[in-house]
Structure formats: structure tokens, C-alpha cells
Amino acid sequence: MCGIVAYKGKKDCYPILLSGLKKLEYRGYDSAGVASIINNKINITKRAGKVKELENAINSKKSSQNCGGLGIAHTRWATHGEPNQKNAHPHLDQSKKISLVHNGIIENYDPIKKFLKSKKITFKSDTDTEVLVQLIGYFYNKGKLDFEQSVRAALQRVDGAYGIVVLNVDFPEMMIAARRGSPLVLGIKEGEFFIGSDISPIVSYTQQIIYLNDSEMAVINKNNYQIKSVEKDVALPKKVEKIDYKIDDFDKGKFKHFMHKEIHEQVTTIGNTLKARSTKNSVLLHGLSEYWEEIQSADKIYITACGTSWHAGLIGKNLIERFAKVPVHVEYASEFRYNHSIIDNKTVVIAISQSGETADTLAAIAKANDYGAITIGICNVPGSSVSRETKCGVHTRCGHEIGVASTKAFTAQITVLYFFALKLADSKKTMTKSVMKKYLDLSMWPKYMDDIKSVLKKEKSIKKIAEKYQNASDFLYLGRGLNFPVALEGALKLKEISYIHAEGYPAAEMKHGPIALVDKNMPNVFIVPKDKTYDKIISNIEEIKSRKGKIIIVTDSRDKILRDLADDLILVPKTTHYMFVILATIVLQLFSYFIAVAKGCDVDQPRNLAKSVTVE
């Protein structure tokens, strides 16, 4: 959940490390630090707070003018130990020869720590990470193992997840990186080596990338590198891949926040997700073609995900059951991995993840693979762990999403699930060709994109409404059918970035408990398409109105009754039931964004949250 960047080469490492840390700020963090080898000593600077504070501290040191070409850096999201300078990475072993940065959690740190204390090793932090670097140091100093052997010996004795990069003063031209469960990427460029927890700190320097798999380590020495197994000293063949990411993805452009930029990008990202994936009569999902015969003959489907992606899964369930008539179970990945789910080789498991590195989702995939299920990944990051661990999949083509609160990835996930449901319906003959043609009417896509633009043009009025409610302490979001997950997602966005308590409910369920919360101060956001649920949801609105609750309505209907009931009404273009889901989602994204901005919140990096959740 934290960020790693490391560099070995001929350049001054500090500017590269600091630039990399800034690129990783989107992941969420509470402290930052760097380490380099200077004059046969490991020089560490770290600070609680933002990277800017670390940068100021480095610039005030004379050593920053001559740091050499070997260094590691880190942004920490606290798991073990408070978010303070003492617990910030990098950490040192007792001999002060070895330094390490680490993403993940060492689950058996306590017995290892007790063992090391029995060997007179003292600890200076409360972290599980220091236990790992002290264990490496123990093997190196006491066990008479060389640097690489010490790292391997320590990693073979830890349980949990790790992505690490390690330095040793006795090997000033060597750097070792390893991973299990927490991603690491190696970038290569003519005698220079870059390591990142994702490609963002690397892409501006090189597009030649190696993705480390679990239980692999990169041993970089002088101008060479080898990829080896953590389990034994064996070199592994690895393909160098060329990535095609635009550096523009990491720039806010004219926008103040990445989240605002990414909301506006949905005109493009939804279009990119649609591109070349349908004809006038059929859906083309080439990433699934190898397994499609097994997918269409499966007798049950699970969708597993976390957070926003789980909400997309709920919409996917509705679409698949509606179009293809196949029952779908949607489970949080953190529950799926431990539940007694009924899975076999006739089961499809669809795993959804923006980052492709979500720890619980990866564990769910591993479980499904163990049972022989057909695993499908819906992911935004080519080359990610989800992309590699699933048997087949579809990329959402959003480009890099930097705002911690997902926006453009969510609507792209819905788009992919819509296409998947149609393709499955076509294969199972549960939809006629004429109906299929209607749903895939390519001539309508420009109109749909214009509808999105129309919603984005309403942001001034949405902002005005949002600012009206910025001091509310609680919200209810209410929808029915396809729009119940939209209500859940709207409530989550508000919680994530404005820190206002909000709950999403099926509108009819509001009577069974939540209505007790309603008073004259509580805003209630209703998502009201003109569909078969319309009359029922009006009844639900009246139930809130009679209790003096504030009513905010998002709708495509111009009916006078809604205007009379609403304290505030946001009208979106008249469209299909399925496109309405996208338009309503974008409205709620903007609504949350403007409330958070009005409250002065850190929109792109909300407190306590991380973009890539690589721990349980």
C-alpha cells in the first residue's frame, strides 16, 4: 500500500528518487524517506508527512550534493507502528551496514523479533519491516553468508507479503529487490536500473520493463542484472516488455486535482473501452477468446472484488442475469477467499481490480485457480498481477488512474461487464439478434458520449448544490435495481474524499431501519430514472419528505412531481437505462468532489487511504 522507488546508475540518485516519490504520492502515505551510500556509510533521511518535507530536509544537507548513483526511497502507509519519523522507511540493521524499504506485512514478525532480541539485537522502531532488515543483518553478520544469501535466507523464513529493495555498504554497486504478494517493477536503460512499486516513477526514464513475479528477486550488480528465485540460487529467464504509457497521464493539466481530471476523462476512457470491441451484431472480447467455449458452458459465475470494483460487480451481476439468464454471486474478495464457496472447473470467477495488485483479490484468484475455475481478470493495468494470474481477461484502457478514489476505472469496468453480459447472452441464445443489434447500435455511441459531455457541462450547478450541503454530517443515497450499486458507489465516494458519513441503500429498504436517521438536517440523494421502478421510488421519496428530510434527486425525468418533491434536482439527458447508470455515477462523482473541495480536503490523497491495497 506504500510506494517504492530505487535507482542504480551514473546520475545523482536524489533527484530521481524524489521525483519518483512524488509520482507515487497518489498511492496514499503518511511518511517518506530515502537512503543512499555515501563515503562507505548508509545515509538516511526520513520525515513524517509529505514528500515535500523530505525534500526540504534533503536539500538542507550538504550530502545531498553528492549522494552517488545508488539509492532507495519509500512512502509509507502505516500498518505496524504509528505514522511518525521513527517508523518511516528506510530501516537499518544493527550493524548499520544494511538498509531496506518494504511494502507489505510480515505476519510472523513477532516470533522473529523475539528470536533476534535473544541475540542482543535492539530495535529502534515499532515496525515489522525493521524485523526483516535485522534478520537479513543477522544472517550477514553472524551467519557468515554473503549479501545475496542473507537476503534469500531471511525471505525464506518470513510469512506474509513483501516487496523490498535492499542496500549493503560492503557492496556499494549492488542492489537487491524481491517480491511476494506486493508488486515490483524493474526498469532498464543502458547501464541504469530503476525499481518501482509500479511504473509511475519509471516511465519517464525508460519503457523497458520487467515485472517481477512472486518469489522472484532481481540482483543488480555493476552494469548487469539477474532475475533469480527466492527459493534457490537459480537464474530465471525473463522477458523485457515495452510499455506504452503516456507521461501525460501523470500530469494534472488544467485541473487542480487528478480526481477532477479523471472525472472529465471519462468521455475518452469509456470510448477507449468500447473501441474495436463490437460490430453491429456481436461483441468482440479477444482477451477471452481462448477460453470462451468453457466460459459460455459454465454453470455458475462468481464476481469478486473490493471497494468500488465490488460495486461494479453488483451492476455486472444485474446485467449478466438480465441478459444471459445465468445466476451470478458477487462476493467481497476478502470474504471469498475464506468462505466455503462452491467452485469447480465449471465455474467462472471474474476478478475486478483497478490496480491489478489488490491483495485480497489476488488471493481470491489463487483460490479459484486451485479449484480449477476459469478465472477472468477485468483490470486497468496491463502486466499487473491480476492480468498475469487470471487465465484470461479484459483491460479497461483507462490509462493511469492517480486519484485514490476511483472514477474513470469504475465506469470502464461497468462498460466491460455490459459487453461481457451481451456476449454471453448471444452465445447462450437468450437474446435475439434484433435485440442484440439494438444494444450494440454503433450509431448511438457518439450520442452517448455527447450525453456525458452534457453532464460535465452541468458541473457549475452541481458545485452550487454540493456547497449547500458541505456541512452535513450524514447522507443517505437511495436507488433501485441497477441504480442501487450506484447509490453505494456515490456514498463511498463521499466518505472517501470528504470524510462525511454516508450510506447507500436500496430505496425500499430505507423503511427497514435507516429512516430512523432522517430529520430536517439529513440530505437524501435519490437516483431516479424513468423506468419501471419510477412510481415506487417516488413513494420512497415521499416517505422521506414527510419526515422533513432534504431531498436531492438525480433523474432523466422532467416530471413536475419530482420538481415539487426535490429540494435540489440534477437533470441528466434522456437515454437508455444502462447509460443512465453512467451519467448518474458521473453526477455523484462531481457532487462528492465539490463537497470535498469546499471542505478543504485532500481530494487526491484522502487520509488513511491507499490506491493500491496490497495488504489484507
Side-chain angles (χ1 to χ4, degrees):
M1 294 173 73
C2 347
I4 285 175
V5 58
Y7 173 74
K8 183 188 181 305
K10 298 176 182 178
K11 297 186 179 77
D12 182 347
C13 71
Y14 277 13
I16 294 170
L17 297 177
L18 288 169
S19 172
L21 290 183
K22 290 174 184 176
K23 295 288 199 317
L24 291 166
E25 284 189 292
Y26 77 93
R27 294 169 70 95
Y29 70 105
D30 46 58
S31 60
V34 298
S36 62
I37 298 176
I38 303 172
N39 299 325
N40 297 317
K41 291 182 180 179
I42 291 181
N43 183 283
I44 291 180
T45 306
K46 50 189 181 178
R47 291 290 184 273
K50 298 297 184 182
V51 170
K52 185 65 178 175
E53 295 171 48
L54 173 67
E55 184 175 28
N56 291 338
I58 289 172
N59 289 338
S60 68
K61 289 185 175 184
K62 291 181 181 179
S63 60
S64 68
Q65 304 304 313
N66 183 29
C67 75
L70 181 68
I72 56 177
H74 189 266
T75 52
R76 176 179 186 251
W77 188 90
T79 52
H80 295 77
E82 294 180 7
N84 56 31
Q85 186 168 318
K86 175 182 72 172
N87 291 327
H89 299 208
H91 288 287
L92 277 171
D93 81 314
Q94 187 160 285
S95 72
K96 297 184 179 179
K97 288 185 174 183
I98 297 171
S99 182
L100 173 146
V101 291
H102 165 229
N103 287 353
I105 291 179
I106 306 303
E107 294 174 353
N108 62 335
Y109 79 96
D110 192 47
I112 296 173
K113 190 171 186 177
K114 288 176 181 175
F115 165 77
L116 292 170
K117 282 184 172 180
S118 74
K119 301 299 181 182
K120 309 302 180 186
I121 290 173
T122 58
F123 289 79
K124 295 186 176 181
S125 79
D126 305 314
T127 68
D128 56 326
T129 295
E130 190 186 357
V131 172
L132 179 54
V133 75
Q134 294 284 18
L135 184 61
I136 294 170
Y138 174 78
F139 284 122
Y140 181 72
N141 294 298
K142 305 291 186 182
K144 307 302 181 185
L145 301 180
D146 67 24
F147 182 24
E148 182 183 335
Q149 290 170 339
S150 300
V151 173
R152 183 176 281 109
L155 294 180
Q156 288 173 353
R157 287 161 174 80
V158 298
D159 297 327
Y162 58 78
I164 63 168
V165 189
V166 197
L167 302 182
N168 186 328
V169 287
D170 292 340
F171 296 82
E173 294 203 47
M174 192 171 182
M175 183 163 64
I176 296 176
R179 72 156 283 184
R180 182 170 72 203
S182 192
L184 279 182
V185 179
L186 170 64
I188 302 163
K189 181 186 178 184
E190 297 176 359
E192 291 182 292
F193 301 93
F194 307 83
I195 294 172
S197 40
D198 63 39
I199 65 164
S200 59
I202 294 174
V203 68
S204 60
Y205 301 103
T206 180
Q207 294 184 310
Q208 302 299 314
I209 297 294
I210 291 176
Y211 294 97
L212 292 185
N213 292 324
D214 274 354
S215 297
E216 290 183 350
M217 59 195 298
V219 181
I220 301 164
N221 195 8
K222 297 184 179 178
N223 293 321
N224 299 307
Y225 74 92
Q226 278 189 305
I227 308 300
K228 296 186 175 184
S229 167
V230 168
E231 304 306 322
K232 51 187 176 181
D233 187 3
V234 176
L236 303 172
K238 292 291 288 187
K239 180 183 177 183
V240 178
E241 300 182 34
K242 184 176 181 180
I243 56 170
D244 186 23
Y245 264 85
K246 296 178 181 177
I247 297 174
D248 290 350
D249 289 340
F250 305 95
D251 188 280
K252 289 193 282 279
K254 66 179 182 180
F255 297 94
K256 186 176 180 181
H257 300 101
F258 280 110
M259 182 180 180
H260 195 198
K261 176 189 177 215
E262 288 159 5
I263 291 171
H264 276 259
E265 285 177 341
Q266 288 172 106
V267 176
T268 303
T269 56
I270 291 171
N272 288 343
T273 304
L274 293 168
K275 193 177 297 181
R277 282 181 167 158
S278 68
T279 67
K280 64 180 181 179
N281 294 314
S282 62
V283 174
L284 308 173
L285 296 176
H286 297 299
L288 307 182
S289 56
E290 185 179 347
Y291 287 89
W292 190 252
E293 188 172 333
E294 296 167 73
I295 292 168
Q296 69 176 10
S297 62
D299 53 23
K300 52 186 172 293
I301 296 175
Y302 283 85
I303 297 177
T304 188
C306 303
T308 287
S309 297
W310 185 77
H311 297 156
L314 291 176
I315 294 172
K317 166 187 168 67
N318 190 307
L319 295 170
I320 294 166
E321 291 179 343
R322 185 178 298 207
F323 294 161
K325 317 302 182 191
V326 179
V328 179
H329 310 273
V330 183
E331 290 193 36
Y332 286 111
S334 55
E335 294 296 308
F336 179 90
R337 63 187 297 188
Y338 295 115
N339 284 348
H340 296 287
S341 306
I342 303 169
I343 311 169
D344 55 26
N345 61 1
K346 296 289 287 180
T347 306
V348 168
V349 176
I350 303 172
I352 311 173
S353 170
Q354 187 285 134
S355 69
E357 302 296 347
T358 309
D360 286 318
T361 306
L362 288 168
I365 292 167
K367 173 182 175 178
N369 284 335
D370 286 345
Y371 280 90
I374 304 102
T375 48
I376 299 172
I378 297 177
C379 178
N380 191 38
V381 183
S384 65
S385 297
V386 165
S387 300
R388 298 196 306 273
E389 298 300 324
T390 48
K391 291 177 179 175
C392 54
V394 184
H395 287 117
T396 49
R397 300 175 178 165
C398 285
H400 212 64
E401 186 179 66
I402 292 179
V404 167
S406 181
T407 52
K408 61 180 181 176
F410 175 67
T411 52
Q413 289 165 357
I414 295 170
T415 305
V416 168
L417 289 163
Y418 176 79
F419 271 26
F420 177 84
L422 288 174
K423 183 172 177 63
L424 192 60
D426 188 35
S427 295
K428 288 183 166 293
K429 305 291 190 286
T430 57
M431 182 179 288
T432 65
K433 289 293 183 183
S434 60
V435 173
M436 176 70 67
K437 187 175 180 180
K438 174 185 170 185
Y439 285 138
L440 292 175
D441 187 351
L442 300 180
S443 68
M444 291 299 294
W445 295 127
K447 192 266 184 188
Y448 298 150
M449 298 306 105
D450 285 343
D451 289 345
I452 294 173
K453 292 175 185 175
S454 176
V455 169
L456 294 171
K457 287 176 182 176
K458 292 178 178 286
E459 68 175 15
K460 286 185 180 179
S461 60
I462 295 170
K463 179 182 179 183
K464 187 175 180 180
I465 296 169
E467 289 173 345
K468 179 178 173 181
Y469 295 101
Q470 64 178 289
N471 294 319
S473 57
D474 302 276
F475 273 76
L476 279 178
Y477 283 70
L478 301 155
R480 301 182 75 127
L482 275 170
N483 291 292
F484 162 50
V486 176
L488 289 172
E489 177 60 13
L492 178 60
K493 281 293 153 286
L494 191 68
K495 282 184 279 196
E496 285 179 319
I497 64 172
S498 73
Y499 319 137
I500 295 174
H501 173 254
E503 297 296 335
Y505 270 89
E509 281 297 302
M510 167 266 303
K511 301 186 295 293
H512 301 282
I515 199 168
L517 300 171
V518 175
D519 60 20
K520 65 181 181 180
N521 298 313
M522 173 175 272
N524 300 266
V525 180
F526 281 90
I527 303 146
V528 190
K530 193 70 179 283
D531 62 10
K532 66 180 182 180
T533 68
Y534 181 72
D535 292 336
K536 298 295 184 184
I537 204 165
I538 285 176
S539 298
N540 302 139
I541 295 170
E542 288 174 332
E543 289 161 357
I544 296 290
K545 189 75 173 178
S546 67
R547 290 159 178 84
K548 303 189 186 311
K550 301 295 183 185
I551 307 293
I552 304 165
I553 296 175
V554 182
T555 185
D556 59 354
S557 170
R558 295 180 177 272
D559 288 359
K560 184 176 182 297
I561 188 172
L562 293 182
R563 296 189 179 277
D564 291 342
L565 287 169
D567 291 280
D568 294 281
L569 186 141
I570 302 167
L571 186 66
V572 303
K574 191 69 181 173
T575 185
T576 68
H577 302 322
Y578 311 107
M579 193 62 199
F580 177 85
V581 168
I582 300 288
L583 301 184
T585 294
I586 293 172
V587 168
L588 298 183
Q589 290 170 351
L590 287 168
F591 184 72
S592 298
Y593 170 77
F594 286 121
I595 286 182
V597 170
K599 289 172 66 68
C601 299
D602 190 342
V603 175
D604 286 335
Q605 298 167 40
R607 70 187 184 201
N608 303 332
L609 296 182
K611 185 67 175 173
S612 183
V613 186
T614 56
V615 296
E616 285 192 61

